[in-house]
């Protein structure tokens, strides 16, 4: 039910969720499965992100699509389209921009994050939400050269999907996609940088326009097929281990942007794409003199129950930073984790409200992420790049079939602790079991990645 036309009124709900992104909608949908108590969603935009077509590759690792849907189409869902400006954690009330006051018993903040832009200029585009992508596609058709800054998933997707344009890719690292890939995997993808993409992908969902939302991230299929510039060919130039020193407009041709790099090189381009990460969106005021415990990365700290330091206030997704440790799981601000956290926060809120016993969700036993790079399926499990481990005491088992697969196992003290699976290796279930069960594979090293041996036969 829409409450947008009822202003300057008080509302009350047992569970209130703020944010229409993946974490917020996953939290609301899960709460409705757990309880018949009132659940209220507050979103800045009528357009929200809904997870669809979930496919499990292992017990934990899942891939999915994300669709833009309009809140008016949601059945049996109480919602308000408004912006939060203040929270009173003592009285357990929320104030909105349009003068509403909302009382809650349990509150979950799923306000996402905002992009870290290189500069606040119209020729610097931060790809974060549907609206920024629509603007990007509008200006792309006139462009011959674009400069992309960043080395994460969106930057990598963009380099892959752009056609008929020259791309200058600026990264601080020694190889591409360092947030996900090691140097070997980056080399595996090297031959695919300049391959043109087809435009035969059809958009099979509705698009809605609404107010700009500051926190809802793009989904994993944000690019919706190939995108085309205004050049007669595609060419990718990568500038490694450097950053932007200065950005200015060309004095002779004001339509072009002049970019000076730290390595001394100068490029001119039509516009810049800033894909350099995000900042948690936690700008609301706490009215009763309390403060959220904020982590070094700007996220609101949450304990293993997804609860903040303020009683009855939870947080999930990009806005939060976990304040606990797990052996084979760590936080990255990913679509998959936004979904997991939103669902788990709902479980925590309901359990605490109903005084039921709560156990941490199994998904936090193992880091998992399913995505695709350059048309290849990518499954990351556990400490896939030996995160947090002493590299001197790690062993790597690697199998590479050019143009088909790149498989890497990370082994510490004789046990598999992480895996990077690129292509159709069909090893994800085996790797997940080995990591979770911590089986000693010291005597199996020579056979683990032998394609002629079914390693699961060892454990029958």
């Amino acid at each position: 039910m829409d409450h947008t036309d009822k202003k300057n009124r008080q509302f009350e709900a047992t569970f209130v969720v703020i944010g229409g992104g993946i974490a917020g909608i996953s939290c609301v949908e899960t709460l409705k499965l757990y309880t018949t108590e009132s659940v209220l969603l507050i979103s800045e935009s009528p357009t929200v992100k809904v997870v669809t077509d979930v496919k499990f590759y292992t017990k934990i690792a899942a891939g999915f699509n994300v669709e833009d849907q309009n809140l008016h189409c949601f059945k049996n869902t109480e919602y308000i389209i408004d912006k939060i400006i203040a929270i009173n954690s003592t009285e357990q009330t929320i104030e909105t921009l349009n003068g509403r006051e909302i009382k809650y018993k349990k509150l979950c903040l799923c306000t996402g994050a905002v992009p870290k832009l290189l500069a606040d200029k119209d020729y610097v585009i931060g790809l974060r939400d549907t609206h920024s992508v629509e603007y990007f596609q509008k200006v792309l058709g006139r462009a011959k050269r674009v400069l992309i800054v960043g080395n994460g998933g969106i930057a990598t997707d963009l380099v892959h999907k752009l056609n008929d344009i020259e791309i200058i890719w600026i990264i601080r690292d020694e190889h591409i996609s360092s947030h996900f890939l090691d140097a070997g995997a980056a080399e595996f993808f090297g031959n695919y940088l300049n391959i043109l993409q087809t435009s035969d992908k059809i958009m099979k969902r509705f698009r809605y326009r609404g107010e700009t939302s500051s926190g809802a991230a793009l989904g994993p299929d944000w690019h919706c097929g190939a995108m085309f510039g205004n050049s007669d060919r595609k060419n990718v130039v990568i500038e490694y281990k450097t950053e932007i020193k200065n950005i200015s407009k060309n004095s002779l041709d004001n339509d072009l942007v002049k970019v000076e790099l730290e390595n001394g090189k100068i490029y001119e381009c039509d516009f810049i794409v800033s894909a350099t990460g995000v900042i948690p969106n936690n700008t609301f005021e706490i009215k009763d003199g309390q403060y959220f415990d904020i982590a070094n990365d700007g996220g609101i700290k949450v304990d293993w129950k997804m609860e903040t330091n303020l009683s009855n206030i939870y947080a999930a997704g990009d806005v939060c930073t976990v304040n606990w440790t797990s052996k084979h799981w760590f936080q990255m601000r990913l679509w998959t984790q936004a979904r997991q956290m939103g669902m788990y926060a709902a479980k925590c809120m309901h359990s605490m409200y109903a005084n039921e016993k709560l156990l941490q969700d199994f998904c936090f036993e193992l880091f998992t992420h399913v995505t695709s790079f350059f048309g290849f399926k990518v499954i990351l499990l556990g400490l896939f790049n030996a995160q947090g481990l002493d590299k001197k005491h790690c062993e790597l088992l690697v199998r590479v079939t050019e143009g088909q697969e790149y498989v890497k196992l990370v082994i510490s003290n004789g046990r598999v602790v992480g895996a990077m699976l690129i292509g159709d290796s069909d090893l994800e279930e085996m790797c997940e079991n080995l990591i979770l069960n911590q089986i000693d594979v010291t005597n199996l090293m020579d056979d683990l990645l032998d394609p002629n041996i079914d390693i699961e036969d060892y454990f029958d």
Side-chain angles (χ1 to χ4, degrees), residues 63-242:
F64 52 81
N65 294 326
V66 174
E67 293 186 3
D68 289 344
Q69 293 188 12
N70 195 295
L71 277 172
H72 298 307
C73 300
F74 275 54
K75 295 181 179 179
N76 303 318
T77 300
E78 299 277 339
Y79 65 88
I80 292 173
I81 299 172
D82 207 341
K83 181 177 181 178
I84 302 304
I85 58 174
I87 298 172
N88 188 316
S89 63
T90 302
E91 297 182 4
Q92 297 192 179
T93 58
I94 303 163
E95 293 181 21
T96 75
L97 185 63
N98 289 324
R100 297 181 176 93
E101 181 179 277
I102 301 146
K103 190 167 182 62
Y104 65 86
K105 294 181 181 178
K106 299 288 182 183
L107 171 65
C108 189
L109 304 174
C110 301
T111 50
V114 293
K116 291 189 288 188
L117 288 180
L118 294 165
D120 187 15
K121 304 290 185 180
D122 58 359
Y123 49 80
V124 177
I125 301 173
L127 294 181
R128 178 63 189 169
D129 52 28
T130 304
H131 301 273
S132 60
V133 171
E134 288 174 348
Y135 175 70
F136 168 76
Q137 291 175 322
K138 179 180 177 181
V139 299
L140 177 63
R142 304 191 299 267
K144 294 183 180 295
R145 175 187 283 179
V146 60
L147 191 139
I148 300 173
V149 185
N151 204 15
I154 286 181
T156 305
D157 275 345
L158 196 56
V159 171
H160 172 54
K161 286 295 181 180
L162 285 180
N163 284 335
D164 297 342
I165 196 166
E166 185 173 355
I167 302 167
I168 312 299
W169 193 3
I170 311 299
I171 62 177
R172 295 185 297 179
D173 312 293
E174 295 181 349
H175 63 268
I176 65 170
S177 308
S178 62
H179 291 274
F180 301 100
L181 307 179
D182 58 19
E187 184 177 349
F188 173 84
F189 285 125
N191 294 329
Y192 299 93
L193 289 170
N194 289 296
I195 292 180
L196 296 179
Q197 302 304 304
T198 61
S199 58
D200 57 358
K201 183 172 181 180
I202 302 173
M203 189 67 178
K204 294 184 178 179
R205 58 175 181 263
F206 296 107
R207 280 200 176 276
Y208 300 97
R209 292 185 180 275
E211 301 169 22
T212 300
S213 174
S214 60
L218 296 166
D221 57 346
W222 66 273
H223 41 69
C224 299
M227 295 176 283
F228 294 84
N230 192 32
S231 182
D232 57 359
R233 65 189 182 98
K234 176 176 181 177
N235 183 46
V236 180
V237 176
I238 305 176
E239 291 289 347
Y240 296 97
K241 299 177 67 174
T242 191

Side-chain angles (χ1 to χ4, degrees), residues 10 32 39 72 135 215 230 240 254 270 290 316 340 345 406:
Q10 291 186 336
K32 288 162 64 179
V39 178
H72 298 307
Y135 175 70
N230 192 32
Y240 296 97
N254 201 43
D270 294 282
Q290 302 295 315
Q340 290 171 337
Y406 180 92

Side-chain angles (χ1 to χ4, degrees), residues 23-41:
I25 298 302
S26 298
C27 184
V28 168
E29 291 180 332
T30 306
L31 276 169
K32 288 162 64 179
L33 296 176
Y34 276 121
T35 183
T36 57
E37 295 281 343
S38 55
V39 178
L40 176 65
L41 171 67

Side-chain angles (χ1 to χ4, degrees), residues 14-16 92 104-108 312 314 349 352-353:
T14 303
F15 301 102
V16 175
Q92 297 192 179
Y104 65 86
K105 294 181 181 178
K106 299 288 182 183
L107 171 65
C108 189
N312 294 314
Y314 300 74
M349 294 165 71
M352 300 297 285
Y353 177 76

